[in-house]
Amino acid sequence: MIRLTKLLATLPYDPELWLTRGNCLRLLGYPELGLGDAYKARLLVEAGLLETSSVLGNEVRKAFRKKTHVLHTTDPAWMRWADSVATPELLAEKVTEMLKRLELQIWTELMEGLMAANCCSDYMRLSREAVEKFPDDEFFPSEVSNSDAWYAQREEILSARVESGNMTEAQKETTLLNGGVYPVPYPFMKEGFLIRDETVFESIEEDFKRVSTNCMVVRSTIRNTTGENGDEATTEDDCIGAVATRDIVSGETILIDQMSAGSVGVDADPGGCPTCCACPVKNFWNSCCSVLYCSQVCADVALATFHNPICGKDFEYLYAAARKATVTTDFSLDALLLMRVIALSLTEDVEHPLKSQVMVRLTPAYNFKEPNLIIFNFADHIQTPISILQTFSINIFTNPLYDTWVLHTIKCRLQNNKHGQTLGDWPGTSISGLYSMLNHSCSPNVDWRHDSASSEVTMFATRDCKKGEELCISYIGNAGNNMGISVQADFNGSSAKSAD
């Protein structure tokens, strides 16, 4: 892995290197990362095989010309065919031949990765695309048969769960359409990416002091981690919660999160404010473009935080998909949230995207004792994030700051901390920098609401709370709280922080 990563730093347009590292990552148990590398290899090969010239295609062919020529003229195993690259024309033909051969390997690796990530429907779709794209290949038809058999088996198992009452029909369809991977702290991640240090914690404390008179953020002890010397699990160092600093009566406001450092809200309302999602917008704008906001405050916040990287970029494909969303859990809304978070990191110009004001406060649900699968599919977790980076003009081949492991870690943290919001008729999703500090309980003592038609969140006590009592919300709502434990686990998905 280390060797391949170093080689990619010097040869970023070599699709064979991306394929090889992708295969290595899958075999190491990280199919979500392997798929990212394999997809980059696919994009490179497709650019290199295009008949029309392109900047990317030229880079690919340039890299492969050099590699192919060196291989045929210096490697004893290949020198017998040195005549096949003796002229520029012959070398160009050989490069095309080798890229086509590599393309078959890439598609095979993509299908292997989808199987490893439990992406049954994606595997079935891709195998059919492969048969159509490579009609002369003898191997891909068997992939279609394998995918059909797997899908039928999976559907039978899930149908039985629906009949027994352990799963709804909607959950069955979601499970069939998606795969699942475990959020993990990758072994190559630096410690600073895994914990919230004292500086971060102090900034969260300051936000709580600013907006609340009856609660404070604390280091919580509700989650477990391995003790010293392999002892029985004790507590996780980096788990944050909130406690009452005095007695609180039912209905009393806990805090109002307007625009804390870690807050981001998005929806697809074409008439909504890009900053706070309030509608309608008014005649407030910035000099760079004609985008309207509901107030000058929101216009100023946008300019200071996320707008500049987005301004002039065509993200209509994201908004078009999000406008079709009917529920707050739609993946198209997650894509808008990811785009906004990346824009924030670009504006801040931090050393790493995981160090942005939003990301540095959030943790994914690693749950080392009982890891939870999170929903994963090829389009929403590999293709769309890469398209977002490309729209931002971020070079996905040369910029390691936005490698697949970074994107996946961002998505895991958003998944574990986001909450849905519906303002008017438009579903949306949001990260509240303070809301996300409260842990989950199936018997919560705090709930939240929108007192204004915006992403501003008001949190309030649902019963009397004593001083020192931990304040918890439900990540799954009242309907989920009333379910049986096994059904809650299915419904809850990746919400792993629990005070119960």
Side-chain angles (χ1 to χ4, degrees):
M1 270 295 301
I2 295 174
R3 182 181 66 84
L4 288 169
T5 301
K6 288 180 177 178
L7 283 172
L8 282 169
T10 58
L11 299 168
Y13 299 108
D14 184 342
E16 191 169 25
L17 281 178
W18 287 105
L19 173 62
T20 303
R21 196 180 75 162
N23 175 264
C24 181
L25 286 165
R26 173 176 61 82
L27 294 176
L28 286 171
Y30 308 123
E32 70 281 8
L33 305 188
L35 282 165
D37 279 8
Y39 184 58
K40 290 177 184 178
R42 172 179 161 180
L43 293 176
L44 289 171
V45 165
E46 288 175 350
L49 288 174
L50 280 176
E51 293 183 3
T52 54
S53 178
S54 69
V55 174
L56 182 59
N58 291 340
E59 290 286 356
V60 174
R61 295 187 70 84
K62 177 182 175 182
F64 238 67
R65 275 198 304 271
K66 181 177 180 180
K67 181 177 184 176
T68 302
H69 187 268
V70 170
L71 186 69
H72 283 75
T73 56
T74 63
D75 190 325
W78 288 81
M79 287 177 65
R80 71 181 73 177
W81 296 291
D83 289 347
S84 65
V85 297
T87 67
E89 294 76 18
L90 289 173
L91 179 58
E93 290 178 9
K94 180 59 70 174
V95 166
T96 299
E97 175 190 327
M98 295 187 72
L99 285 174
K100 287 181 177 179
R101 190 182 306 160
L102 184 63
E103 189 175 31
L104 292 172
Q105 297 173 32
I106 290 169
W107 278 70
T108 300
E109 180 59 35
L110 285 170
M111 283 182 269
E112 292 286 344
L114 291 173
M115 284 190 284
N118 300 297
C119 296
C120 184
S121 292
D122 283 334
Y123 173 39
M124 188 164 62
R125 174 184 55 79
L126 199 70
S127 64
R128 281 168 167 74
E129 289 181 10
V131 169
E132 184 176 346
K133 184 176 179 66
F134 309 102
D136 297 329
D137 186 82
E138 298 178 354
F139 173 72
F140 289 136
S142 66
E143 295 282 11
V144 173
S145 300
N146 289 338
S147 67
D148 287 346
W150 185 22
Y151 186 90
Q153 180 188 50
R154 196 171 187 182
E155 186 173 33
E156 182 180 355
I157 293 171
L158 295 176
S159 295
R161 295 197 67 188
V162 171
E163 291 177 8
S164 65
N166 290 321
M167 177 178 280
T168 66
E169 191 66 38
Q171 288 171 328
K172 170 192 167 182
E173 291 304 313
T174 298
T175 306
L176 280 172
L177 288 173
N178 298 283
V181 296
Y182 292 106
V184 294
Y186 299 112
F188 43 79
M189 291 175 69
K190 297 178 180 178
E191 184 179 0
F193 295 144
L194 300 173
I195 62 170
R196 291 169 285 200
D197 61 25
E198 282 306 310
T199 301
V200 174
F201 183 73
E202 288 169 5
S203 71
I204 300 172
E205 280 185 315
E206 288 302 314
D207 270 345
F208 268 78
K209 290 176 183 177
R210 178 173 54 83
V211 300
S212 179
T213 61
N214 54 20
C215 74
M216 180 49 64
V217 66
V218 296
R219 294 286 188 183
S220 179
T221 59
I222 63 168
R223 295 201 309 201
N224 292 327
T225 192
T226 305
E228 293 184 8
N229 303 318
D231 295 339
E232 182 63 24
T234 54
T235 59
E236 181 175 303
D237 290 335
D238 188 36
C239 187
I240 290 175
V243 298
T245 55
R246 60 170 172 79
D247 290 350
I248 300 173
V249 298
S250 179
E252 185 177 347
T253 296
I254 302 296
L255 58 85
I256 299 175
D257 189 357
Q258 295 174 311
M259 287 301 297
S260 65
S263 296
V264 186
V266 296
D267 66 18
D269 183 357
C273 175
T275 301
C276 73
C277 301
C279 185
V281 293
K282 300 178 182 178
N283 290 326
F284 297 97
W285 65 88
N286 290 306
S287 58
C288 59
C289 64
S290 59
V291 174
L292 296 177
Y293 300 86
C294 69
S295 67
Q296 190 57 51
V297 171
C298 279
D300 292 342
V301 167
L303 195 62
T305 56
F306 65 85
H307 180 70
N308 282 336
I310 294 173
C311 188
K313 301 292 193 302
D314 185 7
F315 283 105
E316 176 56 26
Y317 63 98
L318 295 183
Y319 286 100
R323 283 194 286 270
K324 299 175 184 177
T326 57
V327 294
T328 61
T329 54
D330 196 287
F331 285 127
S332 62
L333 298 173
D334 291 349
L336 285 180
L337 190 61
L338 176 64
M339 178 265 285
R340 180 69 62 83
V341 166
I342 292 174
L344 286 166
S345 71
L346 292 172
T347 299
E348 291 177 38
D349 195 25
V350 288
E351 60 178 307
H352 197 280
L354 294 179
K355 290 294 186 179
S356 70
Q357 286 192 74
V358 175
M359 284 296 104
V360 78
R361 293 179 170 219
L362 307 179
T363 58
Y366 288 138
N367 263 27
F368 81 100
K369 292 181 75 176
E370 297 179 0
N372 289 317
L373 284 171
I374 64 165
I375 289 178
F376 179 88
N377 66 60
F378 189 57
D380 295 301
H381 294 79
I382 299 296
Q383 291 176 302
T384 297
I386 284 179
S387 294
I388 290 172
L389 294 180
Q390 291 174 319
T391 306
F392 275 123
S393 300
I394 295 172
N395 191 316
I396 61 172
F397 307 107
T398 63
N399 191 338
L401 292 180
Y402 292 92
D403 205 351
T404 306
W405 74 266
V406 180
L407 291 174
H408 187 67
T409 299
I410 290 174
K411 286 187 70 68
C412 285
R413 294 186 182 184
L414 296 178
Q415 177 67 29
N416 191 44
N417 293 276
K418 69 177 183 174
H419 66 274
Q421 61 177 32
T422 300
L423 305 174
D425 296 328
W426 294 94
T429 190
S430 176
I431 292 291
S432 168
L434 304 183
Y435 167 102
S436 59
M437 295 303 121
L438 274 70
N439 291 307
H440 167 75
S441 172
C442 292
S443 300
N445 51 14
V446 173
D447 204 349
W448 62 277
R449 64 176 180 260
H450 292 295
D451 283 338
S452 61
S454 73
S455 294
E456 177 181 294
V457 174
T458 297
M459 309 195 73
F460 60 94
T462 56
R463 59 172 173 80
D464 292 348
C465 303
K466 294 294 184 182
K467 179 180 179 179
E469 183 177 348
E470 180 153 9
L471 303 175
C472 297
I473 54 177
S474 172
Y475 293 174
I476 57 179
N478 290 331
N481 294 333
N482 295 327
M483 294 176 179
I485 295 299
S486 62
V487 183
Q488 282 185 20
D490 288 327
F491 187 81
N492 198 21
S494 66
S495 295
K497 293 191 293 186
S498 177
D500 289 350

